[in-house]
Amino acid sequence: MYDLFLSEFKRYRTLAVVVCVIHCIVWAVSTKFMPFVVPHPFKMMGITFITLIGGVVFGLASTALHKRKNHWTYLVHRPLSARKIYLALMSAGLLLLFIALSLPFLAAIIFLDLFSNNVIELRHYLMALHLFLMAGCAYFIGVYAILSPIKAGLLAIALMQYLAHAVKANGAFDILVDSAFLLFTFYLARSVFQVNLSLQNIDKPKALLSLIALQPAMLLILMSAPSLYYHLPLKLIGQHPQNSAVDFNATTENGIYFQFRRAEPKTQTQFLLQYSEHDETRSLNRQSRLAEFKSLSQADTEPHFSQQLFLKERKERFALNDVEREAQWIFSHDLGIFVGLNMKSDEIIGYFGREGFFDKTDNVSAAQKFNEIPLIVDMRFIQTSRSIYGVDLINKQVSRKFTLPDTEFYTKNVSFVFDRAILMSNKATYFFDAMDFNHARKALQAEHVIDNPIPNTLYDDVSVSEVFNGFLVQYRSYHFGRYETPGAALVYVQHNGKIETIATHTFETKIKPDFIAYQPFILSPIVMNLIDGTLNKAITFASEPAKGQFYFWQRSLPQHVIVYAFLLMSVSALLTLRLLKRSPMPVQFKWVWVGVNFVLSLPGLLALISLLGWRNSVNRFRTNQDLNLANSQAKLPMHAKEQRHV
Amino acid sequence: MTDYIIETQALTKRFGAKTALNQCELNIPRGGIHAFIGANGAGKSTLFRILLGLEQQTSGSCKILGHDCQALTPELRGRIGYVNEEHTLPLWMNASEVTQMQRNLYPNWRQDIYDSVIGHFDVQPNQKVAQLSRGERAGLNLSIALAQAPDVLILDEPTLGLDVVAKQAFLEALMYTETDINSTIIYCSHQMEEIERVAENLIIMESGEVKYMATPEDFCQRINYWICDLEADLSSIANISKVLSAKYIEGQCHIITVDQDIEEFKSFLEKHGAGDPIIAPINLEKAISSVLSKNHRSPTKVD
């Protein structure tokens, strides 16, 4: 087995080394523009792309070369079991991928760790491991796609989406998920690696795994299908609901939320004031025509995790820049404090934690450490989930500005509008005097505390306008009243401290028909929503709630949508039963398939059809007979008749 | 233990509408060199692939070394050698590395046989396989295959594309080893002079069936080559089931028959006005080509 491993390794080692060198050169050049350790979405995207494509292409190409007729015979006809041959090839493949794709990355990290003062921690090393495991998964998918009779097997690459972007957690969790995927894809490829490649069929549990692997891709295809049969045709004939957005005005009745969102802020305010019975409504309406409107921060506030893979960090959380002193204050996940680094001399210039600056890390107290990954705002504030600190890099001072009550957490970054600093939590909006907020080195009291009009964790947007007696704050959400029911509220904050919700409106009319709007749920109610809720969102689409917000059982869906979903699940199960009716597989296994496709619904059925082959499936539906069997039986007598003897 | 190294019963293999092997019955005894002959598409390679467990038969049974071909263990695979026409070897390795790999894999490795066979070819140990000529690669492949001391060695057109010298070296190496380790060799080739030289047993395949299995001498005895003066429509003679071919060459009628009683056919010819029919000697190549071309597909004539 070792000899075969060595042989396979020798076959591609030059190529691997060449790719490794190119990779190193690319890193060296790119570091001139952006330091290696700075996370950036493009960097993450580029590395992911190279890793996935590299893995898949290598899997496809190396296996295709082995699969050639005589080469396959040479490979498998030896005194080694198929399992050992597979292990030898795959081990060599993984080692080569490591050299070509992961080693340069790892070498750069080790170099920086050993020869610089950069903050290099476990999360950097885990990133290298993550890339290697992803490349391995992609490689196994490539092997699977070539050896499997189902060429659609390559679509299983859609699974990698989760590995690359969707999992946002501690780095160790990423590695755990990666490892699980690696084992899954390893087994998937092993299941099709057989001496006799023509023996592969669907009548084995391995096909079940294939189906699970294909299912997300099928779901993606189905989800994008409305563009073809709904959006594009309506756009072409000018009847698409989005075209009517321009018609929305302050007096529109039964408006659509989509139109409302697209309208100008003053129109939005005037529209909401229609529903107000406040004494000053007319005055506010007049003022709003001339008022200035400002949105609160839309910046990302999603929680980050200790030892999160460094390229999955947001750049905004990476470092506090001190341009004057050419220094960067980088947050160390290990220490829980910021480390100051002179970018020119590579010298450490100090540290700071929650209570101030210090020179050495010998005795960092728990009180000094940030116990979560903080967010850097405007290069002068540090915001954690419940507290916000001001950082004065010149005078080397840190001051805690404000801390939320225990049950609250920030949902937006601090915003500075109309001489006010505004903080927003899951329960309330806090107004501070901007001058105090910027300069006072003490804990502050909020000038106004506005309870959220609807107890909602995430508002899509909150805007503020200044009027004569105070402020108008407008809250908007897709899930204002309940799930999938958008709405907005207008809160009047007066200078005298009086706070009133003067108007609310929910939009019952939807822009899209239910079968389009709720399609992800209808198509695959269980899988789609479990993945969405558990592994966070891999696919962004506006009508879905924010990640992890709702599982399917938590959503208040219209009854007919649930009926549609149930019908589709039932139809998928019945068609599966029909497809497999004459299959020689054991009855129990047929029922497993039926059960699985009831759960997976239409994407599951499509995956099964691609497993069986489209022509074969159509034939089974039409004639209840296997295509290959039908052909061979039909042709047999003709051959017997044609047979000639000497 | 069975006396046959390869046994098939009603072996049939279909690829969709095409039948590659049709109720193939074959029993190959242990020892000796057995030559497989057949036109392209006769089913030889398909049979080999089934024998090696790389394809599954549609019906019938197929055994090699007394075991079901679909359940070959690694140990059994170690007793079956296979050399294909491309002489597939890892091109990126050098000869000594390839040899070392095979030596580690095969417990019965015979270094003496390897050294002896490779001596027929100019292969340097540190030469990359990719740098070897086709003949040298064939030699290296044969050396490795024989050094594994297999119970059965399948050679699928091993001399295809080799020049005369390389072919000569290959055949000499093959024949020498056959007497030393007593492997059963299955030799598939379209080169009749090779077959004539090495084969102890002929297996002629046609349209997925085994048509003949006999020693070359026995086979030639069953074929008669008649030459006579005959002025008649040859198409009626050619349609007789035991006549393989009938044609005029330089004014004389040349007829080849198989399993045809000599006296009976002589009287038949004389009855049709043939003058002085004689039986000429026929070589193996002509005999085999007559058999194979009998049912060879030809375009339908359009008047």
Side-chain angles (χ1 to χ4, degrees):
Chain A
M1 187 177 132
Y2 174 70
D3 291 287
L4 187 58
F5 161 82
L6 209 59
S7 165
E8 184 72 359
F9 176 72
K10 282 176 180 172
R11 186 174 196 178
Y12 300 106
R13 68 181 164 189
T14 313
L15 178 67
V17 170
V18 169
V19 174
C20 177
V21 170
I22 293 171
H23 213 152
C24 287
I25 293 169
V26 169
W27 275 123
V29 172
S30 70
T31 306
K32 298 280 178 196
F33 303 102
M34 184 191 289
F36 179 83
V37 290
V38 176
H40 193 280
F42 285 150
K43 203 186 264 186
M44 178 65 181
M45 211 185 297
I47 289 176
T48 307
F49 181 78
I50 289 168
T51 305
L52 292 183
I53 297 297
V56 161
V57 168
F58 181 57
L60 288 171
S62 62
T63 314
L65 288 174
H66 279 303
K67 204 188 170 191
R68 289 172 296 167
K69 216 166 190 177
N70 282 328
H71 294 257
W72 187 254
T73 310
Y74 177 75
L75 177 69
V76 297
H77 183 67
R78 59 181 72 209
L80 279 178
S81 62
R83 182 177 60 87
K84 284 185 176 174
I85 296 170
Y86 176 75
L87 280 177
L89 295 188
M90 297 305 114
S91 311
L94 289 179
L95 180 59
L96 289 158
L97 283 175
F98 174 76
I99 292 169
L101 301 176
S102 305
L103 187 60
F105 195 84
L106 185 62
I109 290 168
I110 292 172
F111 178 83
L112 288 174
D113 198 6
L114 295 178
F115 303 107
S116 80
N117 278 319
N118 269 284
V119 178
I120 301 292
E121 301 176 332
L122 181 64
R123 63 205 164 99
H124 295 85
Y125 288 97
L126 287 180
M127 187 71 212
L129 182 58
H130 169 69
L131 290 177
F132 171 63
L133 295 173
M134 266 205 319
C137 290
Y139 170 63
F140 290 135
I141 287 173
V143 174
Y144 169 75
I146 282 286
L147 294 182
S148 166
I150 322 144
K151 292 305 160 207
L154 200 57
L155 292 175
I157 197 76
L159 279 174
M160 306 299 293
Q161 177 75 19
Y162 294 117
L163 295 184
H165 298 294
V167 180
K168 290 194 176 80
N170 180 291
F173 182 75
D174 270 87
I175 299 302
L176 192 72
V177 174
D178 292 343
S179 305
F181 273 88
L182 190 80
L183 285 177
F184 174 70
T185 50
F186 175 82
Y187 180 75
L188 205 62
R190 170 69 188 98
S191 68
V192 291
F193 190 95
Q194 296 179 353
V195 170
N196 184 350
L197 289 173
S198 65
L199 266 186
Q200 289 166 2
N201 53 47
I202 62 148
D203 301 345
K204 289 183 178 175
K206 68 182 182 189
L208 202 62
L209 288 176
S210 308
L211 182 132
I212 292 167
L214 284 176
Q215 202 267 346
M218 293 300 167
L219 184 59
L220 278 173
I221 292 168
L222 284 174
M223 280 173 55
S224 52
S227 302
L228 283 178
Y229 63 75
Y230 177 77
H231 296 292
L232 191 63
L234 289 182
K235 281 271 182 195
L236 286 174
I237 60 170
Q239 293 294 312
H240 198 279
Q242 288 179 358
N243 294 353
S244 59
V246 287
D247 301 336
F248 190 84
N249 60 49
T251 54
T252 300
E253 289 181 12
N254 299 320
I256 296 171
Y257 185 64
F258 175 79
Q259 299 171 316
F260 175 76
R261 267 189 63 113
R262 286 189 142 195
E264 285 186 16
K266 65 178 179 186
T267 311
Q268 292 173 342
T269 304
Q270 286 165 355
F271 174 82
L272 288 174
L273 284 171
Q274 286 184 103
Y275 303 96
S276 168
E277 291 176 355
H278 193 270
D279 299 340
E280 294 182 42
T281 301
R282 289 182 66 186
S283 164
L284 291 172
N285 205 331
R286 278 197 303 273
Q287 290 181 62
S288 66
R289 286 177 201 161
L290 301 169
E292 192 180 352
F293 293 83
K294 290 192 175 170
S295 275
L296 299 192
S297 170
Q298 294 290 315
D300 163 53
T301 54
E302 67 181 25
H304 275 217
F305 301 88
S306 178
Q307 297 299 353
Q308 182 166 351
L309 300 179
F310 93 91
L311 279 179
K312 285 194 177 183
E313 268 189 309
R314 290 282 182 168
K315 195 169 171 241
E316 303 89 305
R317 291 179 188 252
F318 168 67
L320 202 65
N321 287 328
D322 184 354
V323 181
E324 282 179 26
R325 274 161 288 280
E326 293 181 322
Q328 267 195 334
W329 293 84
I330 300 160
F331 185 72
S332 161
H333 288 222
D334 283 354
L335 299 172
I337 53 175
F338 282 82
V339 180
L341 189 70
N342 186 301
M343 298 308 289
K344 279 207 162 167
S345 64
D346 192 43
E347 281 177 16
I348 290 179
I349 58 170
Y351 307 87
F352 77 82
R354 286 197 293 179
E355 295 185 341
F357 284 70
F358 43 96
D359 296 329
K360 291 183 178 175
T361 55
D362 296 346
N363 294 307
V364 183
S365 66
Q368 279 286 13
K369 291 183 179 180
F370 289 95
N371 47 18
E372 60 190 290
I373 313 302
L375 176 66
I376 296 159
V377 184
D378 286 351
M379 292 296 159
R380 58 199 168 110
F381 296 105
I382 303 290
Q383 196 170 345
T384 63
S385 61
R386 283 185 50 231
S387 293
I388 184 161
Y389 302 84
V391 182
D392 182 349
L393 293 174
I394 298 167
N395 298 308
K396 294 203 167 181
Q397 285 182 325
V398 177
S399 55
R400 187 192 304 239
K401 303 280 183 185
F402 186 69
T403 298
L404 289 171
D406 288 348
T407 54
E408 292 184 35
F409 56 87
Y410 291 121
T411 55
K412 289 186 185 295
N413 292 354
V414 59
S415 303
F416 292 90
V417 293
F418 305 119
D419 297 328
R420 297 293 186 282
I422 301 177
L423 288 167
M424 192 167 174
S425 82
N426 56 324
K427 291 193 175 171
T429 309
Y430 298 84
F431 277 53
F432 298 86
D433 181 84
M435 193 67 84
D436 276 357
F437 204 89
N438 278 322
H439 301 293
R441 297 192 183 104
K442 59 177 185 180
L444 300 169
Q445 288 290 325
E447 186 185 343
H448 300 292
V449 180
I450 308 157
D451 289 335
N452 290 346
I454 297 290
N456 194 336
T457 303
L458 297 171
Y459 282 94
D460 307 323
D461 197 13
V462 178
S463 63
V464 181
S465 61
E466 193 170 24
V467 288
F468 182 71
N469 280 333
F471 302 97
L472 279 177
V473 188
Q474 190 201 115
Y475 296 81
R476 294 194 297 272
S477 172
Y478 274 114
H479 313 289
F480 189 76
R482 56 184 191 276
Y483 173 70
E484 286 278 352
T485 307
L490 202 57
V491 178
Y492 185 25
V493 182
Q494 296 184 44
H495 291 311
N496 62 12
K498 197 174 177 188
I499 298 169
E500 293 168 278
T501 302
I502 58 172
T504 58
H505 180 70
T506 52
F507 295 85
E508 300 293 341
T509 311
K510 292 188 170 65
I511 188 169
K512 288 182 276 192
D514 281 352
F515 81 95
I516 297 289
Y518 290 98
Q519 203 179 66
F521 178 84
I522 295 170
L523 287 174
S524 188
I526 296 176
V527 175
M528 177 62 221
N529 292 276
L530 274 180
I531 289 173
D532 181 38
T534 310
L535 280 177
N536 302 331
K537 269 205 308 184
I539 310 140
T540 308
F541 45 98
S543 59
E544 274 295 301
K547 65 181 180 56
Q549 201 173 6
F550 299 105
Y551 289 106
F552 68 91
W553 59 84
Q554 295 168 321
R555 302 177 187 193
S556 50
L557 293 154
Q559 212 166 23
H560 62 274
V561 169
I562 297 171
V563 171
Y564 290 158
F566 186 78
L567 276 176
L568 202 59
M569 289 162 80
S570 306
V571 167
S572 300
L574 288 172
L575 290 177
T576 302
L577 188 65
R578 163 86 176 161
L579 263 176
L580 302 178
K581 197 176 173 188
R582 293 287 170 93
S583 166
M585 73 172 69
V587 176
Q588 303 94 311
F589 198 58
K590 283 183 193 176
W591 285 109
V592 170
W593 275 105
V594 172
V596 164
N597 276 355
F598 180 75
V599 174
L600 298 180
S601 198
L602 191 59
L605 176 69
L606 293 179
L608 175 67
I609 289 173
S610 74
L611 279 170
L612 291 167
W614 291 93
R615 281 184 60 208
N616 203 4
S617 300
V618 170
N619 199 56
R620 279 179 192 228
F621 279 128
R622 284 171 52 196
T623 64
N624 225 355
Q625 217 173 28
D626 185 86
L627 184 69
N628 291 333
L629 190 66
N631 271 351
S632 57
Q633 283 174 346
K635 298 289 180 185
L636 182 61
M638 192 171 77
H639 275 264
K641 192 177 170 185
E642 281 184 350
Q643 188 65 55
R644 290 183 286 184
H645 299 277
V646 175
Chain B
M1 185 183 264
T2 174
D3 290 334
Y4 298 112
I5 204 110
I6 289 169
E7 298 166 84
T8 70
Q9 286 181 339
L11 183 66
T12 301
K13 175 68 186 175
R14 293 191 200 97
F15 295 101
K18 188 173 169 63
T19 303
L21 289 173
N22 190 10
Q23 301 285 322
C24 182
E25 301 279 349
L26 184 64
N27 292 307
I28 299 180
R30 283 176 187 277
I33 300 181
H34 305 265
F36 267 78
I37 303 157
N40 292 332
K44 306 182 296 294
S45 293
T46 304
L47 176 64
F48 295 155
R49 289 183 64 74
I50 293 174
L51 283 172
L52 295 176
L54 300 168
E55 293 277 356
Q56 192 180 30
Q57 64 266 37
T58 310
S59 63
S61 74
C62 184
K63 287 183 177 177
I64 187 163
L65 299 171
H67 294 84
D68 182 359
C69 293
Q70 294 304 311
L72 293 180
T73 61
E75 187 268 330
L76 279 169
R77 287 193 182 278
R79 293 167 56 198
I80 305 165
Y82 179 71
V83 171
N84 64 50
E85 74 276 17
E86 285 179 16
H87 298 288
T88 311
L89 286 170
L91 300 178
W92 54 95
M93 294 169 88
N94 64 38
S96 63
E97 288 173 333
V98 176
T99 312
Q100 184 60 44
M101 180 167 78
Q102 299 301 108
R103 188 184 298 136
N104 294 342
L105 268 176
Y106 290 85
N108 299 329
W109 181 265
R110 291 274 304 273
Q111 189 61 36
D112 57 326
I113 294 178
Y114 176 81
D115 293 339
S116 169
V117 179
I118 202 72
H120 289 83
F121 306 90
D122 183 22
V123 176
Q124 301 304 314
N126 58 353
Q127 245 184 310
K128 275 258 165 75
V129 174
Q131 292 167 347
L132 297 175
S133 69
R134 193 177 174 92
E136 288 164 348
R137 185 136 58 101
L140 176 62
N141 203 8
L142 181 70
S143 310
I144 289 170
L146 292 173
Q148 292 160 9
D151 289 347
V152 56
L153 174 60
I154 299 171
L155 302 166
D156 191 0
E157 301 187 43
T159 57
L160 192 72
L162 301 193
D163 62 38
V164 180
V165 179
K167 203 181 288 181
Q168 178 78 8
F170 189 94
L171 292 175
E172 276 177 15
L174 177 66
M175 292 173 74
Y176 153 76
T177 314
E178 192 274 328
T179 54
D180 185 20
I181 57 170
N182 199 28
S183 290
T184 305
I185 293 176
I186 307 295
Y187 193 96
C188 174
S189 177
H190 295 289
Q191 312 292 319
M192 293 307 157
E193 72 279 9
E194 284 174 28
I195 301 285
E196 209 158 7
R197 194 166 160 195
V198 303
E200 296 166 27
N201 187 30
L202 292 180
I203 299 159
I204 299 176
M205 290 191 73
E206 192 181 24
S207 304
E209 289 180 276
V210 174
K211 293 292 179 187
Y212 294 95
M213 185 161 143
T215 61
E217 297 76 27
D218 288 347
F219 178 71
C220 284
Q221 278 180 8
R222 292 165 68 178
I223 311 290
N224 293 323
Y225 188 9
W226 295 88
I227 301 174
C228 60
D229 296 321
L230 177 67
E231 287 182 12
D233 180 13
L234 287 186
S235 60
S236 60
I237 295 176
N239 284 336
I240 297 168
S241 67
K242 290 181 179 176
V243 172
L244 295 175
S245 70
K247 56 183 111 172
Y248 283 112
I249 301 172
E250 294 175 356
Q252 284 192 306
C253 180
H254 294 240
I255 301 168
I256 300 176
T257 63
V258 60
D259 293 337
Q260 177 68 56
D261 183 82
I262 292 173
E263 292 306 322
E264 192 182 314
F265 195 68
K266 191 176 180 185
S267 350
F268 169 82
L269 289 174
E270 286 170 348
K271 193 173 158 187
H272 281 76
D276 196 21
I278 57 160
I279 294 178
I282 184 166
N283 63 20
L284 187 65
E285 183 176 357
K286 185 138 184 90
I288 291 171
S289 64
S290 304
V291 167
L292 294 180
S293 56
K294 166 74 177 175
N295 291 322
H296 198 272
R297 189 183 287 267
S298 56
T300 312
K301 282 180 184 174
V302 179
D303 294 327

